[in-house]
Structure formats: structure tokens, C-alpha cells
Amino acid sequence: MLNAVTEERIRVRYGETDQMGHAYYGQYLFWFEQSRGAWCRDRGYTYKNLEEMGYYLPVLEVHARYKGEVMYDDLIIVRIKMTAIKRNAIRFDYEIVSNETGKTVTEGYTWHLLVTKDLANKGIPKEIMDLLERDPALYSRLD
């Protein structure tokens, strides 16, 4: 289901920051990854389930635009939604919001290619499309 938002709350750990207490810029990609896992769990499956089915979603492209500060011990909310599905590619968009101020501090997106273990990409099969198009309102988030 395109544009259905999942929210993942993250407390910024000390090890995710630089000497000045700011979140290290590369850490945002890990937060994007964590939120993709939450996006799947909101729809009743895990990324591990996809792998067990023989499918993988390597990142083809990533973009991040930093608009504000994220500091040690801040609570942030990562909002993720799937915004595009092509023949064999999926796009997720991200918005990182400060829990304290409600302001957007980072925006970004990732493109993923659906492949099998041998890196074949023959399009998105119906069984995977059915998972991607699930309405999260119909499922309880998996732990």
C-alpha cells in the first residue's frame, strides 16, 4: 500500500555521535534501515521472512538531506513510506522528526532492487507484491 506511513522511535546513543555530540552523518543510513525493518513488521512479516523466501533488497541509491541537528540522547521519530514500485525496484521515503520540537531534521529516500540470491532480478513476483501492498491497519506490528 503506497504512502502508508510507519513510525519508528529511536533514542540517539552516545556511540552514534561525534565528539561534539552531534549524530554522525552515516548513522542516518542505519536509522533508515531500522525503519525499513519496522515497516515490514507493521505489515505482519519481517525482512528475514523475505530472505527465507529467497529474496533480497539491496540498496541501489540513497539520498539524505540534513535540515537540523540531532544530538546525543535525543528521541527521534523516523517516518517511512513506500512511494514507488517499478518492475523490479522499490523506493522508500524517510522523514526524521525531533520528538521534542516536532521539526523535520532530515529527509531522504532509498531505492532497492528486488533480487534472488544469485542476483537475478526478474521483476516483483505476486507473492512479494502481496506483502508490499499490505495495509498496516490490518496487522499488529511484530516484535
Side-chain angles (χ1 to χ4, degrees), residues 2-131:
L2 285 176
N3 296 313
V5 175
T6 288
E7 291 189 350
E8 177 76 349
R9 297 167 63 85
I10 297 171
R11 175 74 62 184
V12 178
R13 297 175 297 187
Y14 184 79
E16 297 170 327
T17 64
D18 61 21
Q19 285 185 314
M20 297 176 290
H22 291 86
Y24 172 67
Y25 74 93
Q27 187 60 44
Y28 292 77
L29 302 183
F30 287 112
W31 297 335
F32 288 1
E33 178 185 346
Q34 181 175 334
S35 67
R36 286 193 305 275
W39 185 91
C40 291
R41 288 190 306 278
D42 264 3
R43 286 149 182 83
Y45 63 94
T46 65
Y47 186 82
K48 185 176 181 178
N49 295 141
L50 292 176
E51 290 180 339
E52 291 167 349
M53 295 169 69
Y55 297 102
Y56 301 86
L57 288 170
V59 176
L60 292 176
E61 180 181 343
V62 63
H63 173 80
R65 181 171 180 237
Y66 306 104
K67 301 174 73 172
E69 291 184 322
V70 175
M71 305 292 290
Y72 166 64
D73 206 40
D74 282 356
L75 182 60
I76 57 173
I77 301 163
V78 183
R79 296 182 180 139
I80 176 176
K81 59 186 175 182
M82 182 176 61
T83 57
I85 300 175
K86 293 189 177 180
R87 187 183 78 77
N88 57 1
I90 302 162
R91 178 179 163 145
F92 290 100
D93 284 16
Y94 309 86
E95 177 187 29
I96 298 179
V97 176
S98 165
N99 188 67
E100 182 179 330
T101 66
K103 291 183 179 178
T104 299
V105 293
T106 306
E107 296 173 327
Y109 64 83
T110 54
W111 273 104
H112 302 261
L113 183 67
L114 183 75
V115 298
T116 59
K117 194 169 191 166
D118 62 355
L119 300 180
N121 58 3
K122 303 171 187 164
I124 301 174
K126 182 177 179 350
E127 65 182 337
I128 300 301
M129 191 63 79
D130 289 346
L131 293 175

Side-chain angles (χ1 to χ4, degrees), residues 41 46 140-143:
R41 288 190 306 278
T46 65
S140 295
R141 182 183 271 199
L142 300 177
D143 290 330

